[in-house]
Amino acid sequence: MTTDKFKVPVSMLSPLIDPSQFGFEDTGELEPLTEIIGQERAVEALDFGLHMKSPGFNLYVSGPAGTGKGTLVRQMVKRMAQGAPPPSDWCYVNNFQDPSRPACLSLPAGQGASFKREMAAFIEGLRRDIPQAFESKKYLDAKAKLHDEIETKKKALFRDLTEMSQKQGFGFEETPVGFGIVPLKAGHSMTDEEMEAMTEQEQQELTDRRKILEGEIREFHVRIHTLDKEAEDQQRHLDRQVVTKVLEGPYETMRRTYQDLAAVAAYLERVQQDIVHHYKDFLPHEGPHLPIPGLEPRRPDMTRYLVNLIVEHDPMGGAPVVDESHPTYTNLIGKIERRAHMGVMYTDFTEIRAGAVLLANGGYLIVNALDALRQPFSWDALKRVIKTGEVKIEDPGEFYGFSTAGLRPEPVPVNVKVIMVGPPMIYHLLQAYEEDFSKLFKVKADFDTEVARSERQDRQYARFIAKLCREEGLPHFGADAVAEVIRQGFRFADRHDRLSLRFSLVSDLIREAGYWARKEGHSFVTRADVDAAITHKRHRSNLAEHWIQDEIKEGTLMVALDGEVVGQVNGLSVHQLGDYAFGRPTRITARTYVGTKGVIDIQREAELAGNIHSKGVMTLAGYMAGKFAGLHPFAMSASLTFEQTYSEIEGDSAAVAELAAILSSLADLPIRQWLAVTGSVNQLGEVQPIGGVNEKIEGFFESCSRKGLTGKQGVIIPARNTKHLALRRDVVEAVESGHFTVYAVNTVEEAVELLTGIQAGERAIDGEYPLDTVFGRAAQRLADMAQAVAEWGEAEGRPDGHIITEP
């Protein structure tokens, strides 16, 4: 039997790239890449989502890590933001009606800082001018005049009261508790003896006059109190007139500056009213104690007149772009900070801080989906902002019923475009389990991981290398090095007709190649430097592979690489350890015997098989039943296992190998151990493609090369996997020199013929297979098994010798 027709040509084992086709000697001759390679679909979605102004058209940027989605999003968003008008500045100010509910003010971009500065200067000027006005001669004269007028009135009332008391025969005398009235006689106070010498009638008259006078004295006190209150009112009116006069100029200047901003003008009016009513706060503190030498007198607290500028924008800076790398609740929404004073925590409106949403108000907010979902309250807060169009800064403790802030800041209206970046799985989960998600994120931008190869894409790859070399100061790449990077781009994509778009991997390769070029003293990066980077990176990661290959070479892991054995085949598996994957051969054995249990998968029985692997075994059992259960019952028991495996096995890529082992055991035909096979199979016998084909081929090649290549060894792969081939250079060279072979098959029959060296066989018109074929020998063995089972059934007294199949 000839096997040449199944050999994969060397040209298909790895992409061939001619450096001379590029038209340049090194990347220093190229213009750096400015556009994105191969993401036209994502660019179109991003452009639509960023320009769409209707509510809910926020974006979810989906794609695997390393595809450049974050970089592209930032580039496009910043480009759009530069041409957009800058949004308003926002600040919090005191609410004079209810200080626990600070008010927010909006000002044109750039005016927030000037308003804050002018308000501070306005208040500071009043703190200087108001005390000076109260110390002026004009004010002191008016105050003295007012005082004199009141004192004159008080003296007149006292004079009138004195005259009245004298007419009533009484005078005033000073007592320890104030002034008292005493009866007079001949202009002098009466003695006790004179009081006792009075007749009863005279005493009664004296008492009546005393009562009349006491009533007048009470009236006198009322009038004095009235005069004091009048003096206080006049003094307050005078003081307010003085303060109003001082305020007139500065306030009018402020009012005219912000007269076009209704909310700011209304706030300034409230400030003016508060200053007039609380002007004493601007006066020096009057205390009972003398000032301490060396210490300045305490100044009244003017915090309520401050402006807390929470969002400030450059009037020439365009719309804001905020990339929140740590989207906690407070980082997104904002927070109310606290200060400590003498062991007591307190806060006010000046401690309110803006979060990323407010900083991005009027622009764009970029958030990583996984980061936002990991943080408590963040996702709910972000949804609430998008749905309500406002930011309400609250203390997270209030979500648990603890009122700790004492402030309820006025919500700030927002209009922000949210761009959430994350993996596809998170998008699908949110679509399925978050009812608001589809309403809030209506645009999905999907990033691809590969692009069809063309001359244009090769050129863009080269320009990408040129860009990275210029940006990071790396040595430029020669044409042969560019060709090798492009070849690795095929490898990253697992295709020889497509280039990988996972530029994080490509960038790392470029950086590492630049390192090795400098270490070797090369002025330009060569192909050897790129090969060195690939080799060294593999060496840093392949310790586990090295151990396994050593154990195969030593015989600890029993894998036969030569000879022929019945019921034994070399399967291929892939191990994924983080970012490194490698293949290895695994011995698969099968034993067949008389019975009715069908194919027994030992891995599944031991609960060491995944669902996909179990499905593959059931599928091959279906194929065998359809192939051989024709003229007689399908009476067979077969045990199937992966030898020396002690962890779960997943995947159906060993189905062809398992089927070959069973057929070998049935037909009693040996399998060539110098061949390894991989591939999935369907019930029609077609070999289906599998993943990790490059790693599997290289893993078997590594085992063979360590024990010594014989020229017969090779790997059988599905023909549909040939487009995925991008093998290492040493494997390609071994195939080219005839020391190793890669075969490609489309059907189980072709794989069996390669493994046994005997024709698989085709069913004749009478439904039988030729006896000198694999299927013929297997069918004959199955017929013998069926006869043995039937005879056993008759011997046991089963009716008609029917076979009873166990469930």
Side-chain angles (χ1 to χ4, degrees):
M1 184 195 75
T2 178
T3 60
D4 291 344
K5 62 179 179 178
F6 299 118
K7 290 182 179 180
V8 179
V10 175
S11 60
M12 295 185 66
L13 298 179
S14 186
L16 299 177
I17 304 169
D18 183 6
S20 63
Q21 70 180 1
F22 295 146
F24 61 83
E25 293 295 327
D26 63 78
T27 54
E29 305 171 17
L30 301 177
E31 288 293 326
L33 184 69
T34 56
E35 68 268 25
I36 300 298
I37 302 177
Q39 299 290 1
E40 289 78 8
R41 184 194 304 272
V43 171
E44 179 185 349
L46 284 170
D47 187 69
F48 166 74
L50 293 175
H51 283 90
M52 191 69 177
K53 303 301 182 185
S54 300
F57 281 84
N58 298 294
L59 297 97
Y60 186 97
V61 182
S62 170
T67 53
K69 55 184 182 296
T71 302
L72 176 58
V73 166
R74 294 179 188 93
Q75 289 178 356
M76 293 188 65
V77 170
K78 288 179 180 178
R79 189 161 53 244
M80 281 199 63
Q82 289 173 355
S88 302
D89 293 346
W90 286 92
C91 57
Y92 270 106
V93 294
N94 183 41
N95 183 347
F96 295 98
Q97 284 73 36
D98 185 356
S100 68
R101 297 182 179 275
C104 60
L105 295 178
S106 171
L107 296 98
Q111 291 191 25
S114 60
F115 177 62
K116 178 180 180 178
R117 186 169 55 252
E118 289 168 6
M119 274 298 298
F122 172 65
I123 297 300
E124 193 61 31
L126 293 178
R127 297 181 76 165
R128 179 190 65 249
D129 295 341
I130 290 178
Q132 289 178 355
F134 279 85
E135 294 171 359
S136 67
K137 183 177 182 303
K138 185 176 180 180
Y139 171 77
L140 293 175
D141 290 345
K143 183 179 179 181
K145 181 181 178 182
L146 180 62
H147 181 267
D148 291 343
E149 290 176 354
I150 297 299
E151 286 300 316
T152 301
K153 291 180 180 180
K154 287 183 177 180
K155 289 178 180 179
L157 288 174
F158 188 73
R159 187 171 55 251
D160 293 343
L161 180 63
T162 303
E163 291 176 356
M164 178 180 289
S165 65
Q166 289 176 352
K167 289 178 181 180
Q168 297 293 333
F170 288 90
F172 294 100
E173 69 173 356
E174 189 173 356
T175 67
V177 295
F179 287 93
I181 58 174
V182 295
L184 299 176
K185 185 176 181 180
H188 298 283
S189 301
M190 294 177 68
T191 63
D192 293 339
E193 292 79 6
E194 291 174 335
M195 291 284 292
E196 292 175 357
M198 293 178 66
T199 63
E200 185 175 345
Q201 183 178 354
E202 289 174 338
Q203 289 183 354
Q204 181 63 42
E205 289 176 355
L206 183 63
T207 300
D208 292 340
R209 291 198 309 272
R210 181 188 292 274
K211 288 181 179 179
I212 293 172
L213 183 57
E214 287 176 349
E216 290 297 330
I217 291 174
R218 286 195 295 271
E219 182 64 24
F220 169 80
H221 284 301
V222 171
R223 289 178 181 178
I224 291 296
H225 179 72
T226 302
L227 284 176
D228 287 339
K229 190 173 186 309
E230 180 183 344
E232 185 180 337
D233 291 341
Q234 290 178 356
Q235 179 70 49
R236 186 183 299 111
H237 179 68
L238 175 62
D239 291 351
R240 288 180 177 176
Q241 282 183 322
V242 173
V243 173
T244 303
K245 189 66 177 177
V246 174
L247 265 172
E248 186 176 2
Y251 170 72
E252 186 62 21
T253 302
M254 291 285 289
R255 189 191 67 80
R256 290 183 180 181
T257 303
Y258 299 100
Q259 61 184 350
D260 295 334
L261 303 173
V264 178
Y267 167 71
L268 290 174
E269 184 177 352
R270 292 192 293 272
V271 169
Q272 181 203 31
Q273 294 171 357
D274 188 80
I275 292 172
V276 170
H277 283 82
H278 300 89
Y279 65 90
K280 290 186 178 181
D281 289 347
F282 290 82
L283 300 178
H285 178 67
E286 297 179 359
H289 304 289
L290 293 175
I292 301 174
L295 293 179
E296 295 184 1
R298 186 177 67 86
R299 307 186 72 185
D301 184 19
M302 295 293 166
T303 302
R304 65 182 183 276
Y305 301 119
L306 295 179
V307 173
N308 181 13
L309 181 61
I310 60 172
V311 178
E312 180 183 4
H313 295 294
D314 183 351
M316 305 300 293
V321 178
V322 178
D323 186 358
E324 181 50 63
S325 60
H326 188 205
T328 62
Y329 174 83
T330 54
N331 286 351
L332 277 178
I333 303 302
K335 58 183 175 181
I336 304 173
E337 294 182 342
R338 295 169 184 79
R339 287 175 290 181
H341 180 68
M342 298 182 69
V344 177
M345 303 297 294
Y346 71 100
T347 188
D348 55 45
F349 73 95
T350 62
E351 300 300 320
I352 300 173
R353 301 290 180 262
V357 176
L358 281 177
L359 296 176
N361 190 10
Y364 307 89
L365 174 64
I366 304 172
V367 180
N368 183 278
L370 279 172
D371 292 341
L373 292 169
R374 286 190 184 111
Q375 299 297 332
F377 311 121
S378 292
W379 171 245
D380 289 334
L382 190 60
K383 283 196 309 176
R384 193 180 306 114
V385 167
I386 299 174
K387 290 165 69 175
T388 62
E390 63 181 24
V391 169
K392 187 177 181 182
I393 300 177
E394 299 173 291
D395 195 288
E398 298 196 8
F399 302 152
Y400 296 105
F402 301 109
S403 181
T404 54
L407 294 181
R408 300 289 187 276
E410 180 183 358
V412 180
V414 294
N415 178 22
V416 61
K417 179 75 71 173
V418 180
I419 301 106
M420 186 172 283
V421 182
M425 180 59 70
I426 295 297
Y427 176 84
H428 298 307
L429 290 173
L430 289 172
Q431 282 278 3
Y433 297 107
E434 177 55 79
E435 60 180 358
D436 294 324
F437 182 75
S438 58
K439 302 175 186 176
L440 304 179
F441 291 85
K442 297 182 179 181
V443 181
K444 180 186 181 186
D446 244 337
F447 274 70
D448 204 349
T449 57
E450 55 189 41
V451 64
R453 184 203 177 185
S454 65
E455 290 185 9
R456 178 174 177 271
Q457 304 298 349
D458 287 355
R459 186 81 175 179
Q460 285 186 314
Y461 246 62
R463 291 179 59 197
F464 174 78
I465 297 172
K467 173 187 175 183
L468 193 64
C469 291
R470 283 183 170 89
E471 288 179 349
E472 301 189 8
L474 302 173
H476 280 285
F477 278 54
D480 60 339
V482 172
E484 187 62 23
V485 171
I486 294 174
R487 198 178 81 86
Q488 285 303 307
F490 294 119
R491 173 72 177 229
F492 293 147
D494 279 333
R495 295 283 294 265
H496 64 222
D497 57 350
R498 290 182 175 271
L499 282 168
S500 173
L501 296 179
R502 299 186 66 178
F503 284 102
S504 63
L505 300 177
V506 179
S507 299
D508 289 343
L509 175 60
I510 296 169
R511 295 182 182 107
E512 292 186 31
Y515 168 82
W516 292 110
R518 279 179 173 161
K519 190 169 184 180
E520 295 296 326
H522 298 161
S523 56
F524 293 97
V525 179
T526 65
R527 192 187 82 177
D529 296 322
V530 180
D531 285 339
I534 296 169
T535 302
H536 281 88
K537 183 172 184 179
R538 180 181 173 223
H539 180 72
R540 293 195 303 270
S541 305
N542 73 342
L543 182 60
E545 178 186 16
H546 180 77
W547 286 344
I548 290 174
Q549 292 293 352
D550 278 351
E551 290 184 338
I552 291 175
K553 180 180 178 181
E554 296 165 358
T556 305
L557 289 177
M558 295 184 291
V559 176
L561 301 176
D562 201 2
E564 298 182 356
V565 181
V566 173
Q568 176 177 300
V569 66
N570 288 324
L572 296 172
S573 60
V574 172
H575 294 260
Q576 185 76 44
L577 300 178
D579 62 344
Y580 183 71
F582 65 92
R584 56 159 289 193
T586 302
R587 175 180 290 181
I588 300 173
T589 59
R591 288 293 180 263
T592 54
Y593 46 89
V594 176
T596 58
K597 292 185 178 182
V599 178
I600 301 172
D601 180 11
I602 294 177
Q603 261 69 32
R604 184 176 64 182
E605 296 297 321
E607 297 183 352
L608 287 176
N611 294 333
I612 298 175
H613 175 78
S614 298
K615 176 191 173 186
V617 174
M618 294 177 184
T619 300
L620 70 86
Y623 166 77
M624 291 190 62
K627 201 74 174 175
F628 299 108
L631 302 178
H632 52 75
F634 190 64
M636 178 195 73
S637 290
S639 61
L640 186 67
T641 189
F642 283 68
E643 304 290 358
Q644 289 185 289
T645 58
Y646 308 101
S647 58
E648 183 176 291
I649 294 174
E650 183 59 298
D652 62 351
S653 63
V656 172
E658 292 167 330
L659 182 56
I662 293 174
L663 290 173
S664 168
S665 177
L666 278 175
D668 195 26
L669 290 172
I671 289 179
R672 296 167 172 173
Q673 301 299 296
W674 59 82
L675 294 178
V677 61
T678 182
S680 173
V681 67
N682 59 29
Q683 291 193 115
L684 301 177
E686 297 169 322
V687 178
Q688 301 171 146
I690 43 82
V693 64
N694 292 297
E695 289 79 4
K696 290 176 178 179
I697 295 173
E698 291 165 355
F700 189 68
F701 172 80
E702 186 72 17
S703 299
C704 294
S705 61
R706 284 181 174 234
K707 282 198 171 183
L709 294 172
T710 63
K712 298 188 298 180
Q713 294 140 332
V715 175
I716 302 170
I717 65 170
R720 292 172 178 83
N721 273 124
T722 54
K723 61 178 177 290
H724 300 114
L725 293 176
L727 295 171
R728 290 199 317 252
R729 195 175 301 279
D730 55 342
V731 181
V732 177
E733 290 172 354
V735 174
E736 193 172 13
S737 63
H739 292 93
F740 196 75
T741 309
V742 178
Y743 302 97
V745 296
N746 287 293
T747 64
V748 170
E749 288 80 0
E750 294 174 350
V752 168
E753 290 176 10
L754 283 170
L755 289 168
T756 62
I758 298 175
Q759 292 290 329
E762 295 183 6
R763 199 186 292 269
I765 298 177
D766 59 359
E768 299 290 342
Y769 293 102
L771 291 177
D772 58 348
T773 64
V774 176
F775 288 166
R777 293 171 64 100
Q780 181 60 49
R781 176 82 185 284
L782 287 170
D784 295 341
M785 288 181 175
Q787 180 64 33
V789 170
E791 292 175 354
W792 173 80
E794 290 178 0
E796 292 293 322
R798 300 179 183 271
D800 302 324
H802 289 168
I803 296 173
I804 307 299
T805 303
E806 295 185 13

